[in-house]
Amino acid sequence: MKNFKNEEAVSPVIGVILMVVITVIIAAIMAVFAFGIGAPDKTPQANLKFTATATDFKISHSGGEPLILANEKIIIEDAVTSGTYYDTTAAGALLSTFTGVTTLAPGASATHTWISGPSSGDIIIVQVVDIPTGQLISDTKVTVQ
């Protein structure tokens, strides 16, 4: 019977274990806040206008934040056949095709001359995607003049 009456150490041991567990949880939460959470990338907001002719394609920036063209992916497809006229698949590829324009600021425009483009009257779909965030900036249908 003596062995069953001596339970003095049970409560302090459980208390110490609980304090260690709580300390570890608090340390893990602090580590996540200190090292794991960064500010999310911000997608630029821009009001873009597109015009197309049988010879060239023009982007005009009507307002919003400047666009760094090396960070933007532009896809131009035929609305009927889904054939691709223009597709930028890597950052920096636009620099050689948009008449040397690297940043499209409000009020500015950039022109691309078609190598093999649409015909007058065709409808094209223009998508502009921000490469760092993967977010869509613009998705528009344009009638070729």
Side-chain angles (χ1 to χ4, degrees), residues 6-121:
N6 190 3
E7 296 180 358
E8 296 174 359
V10 173
S11 182
V13 169
I14 292 174
V16 168
I17 290 172
L18 287 174
M19 284 193 309
V20 169
V21 168
I22 291 171
T23 303
V24 168
I25 290 172
I26 291 173
I29 291 170
M30 295 301 288
V32 166
F33 279 115
F35 302 113
I37 298 177
D41 289 336
K42 184 180 172 219
T43 304
Q45 301 297 314
N47 185 9
L48 302 174
K49 287 185 171 185
F50 307 101
T51 56
T53 66
T55 58
D56 60 19
F57 173 77
K58 183 177 181 180
I59 299 175
S60 299
H61 193 310
S62 302
E65 300 173 55
L67 295 179
I68 300 170
L69 293 181
N71 291 338
E72 310 310 329
K73 177 179 178 180
I74 298 176
I75 303 167
I76 303 172
E77 296 179 333
D78 188 297
V80 177
T81 66
S82 298
T84 303
Y85 293 115
Y86 186 80
D87 186 357
T88 303
T89 57
L94 285 178
L95 299 179
S96 62
T97 59
F98 272 100
T99 61
V101 176
T102 59
T103 302
L104 196 60
S109 62
T111 303
H112 168 70
T113 303
W114 299 117
I115 295 170
S116 172
S119 302
S120 181

Side-chain angles (χ1 to χ4, degrees), residues 118-130:
S119 302
S120 181
D122 287 352
I123 298 173
I124 58 175
I125 299 171
V126 181
Q127 293 181 329
V128 180
V129 179
D130 186 54

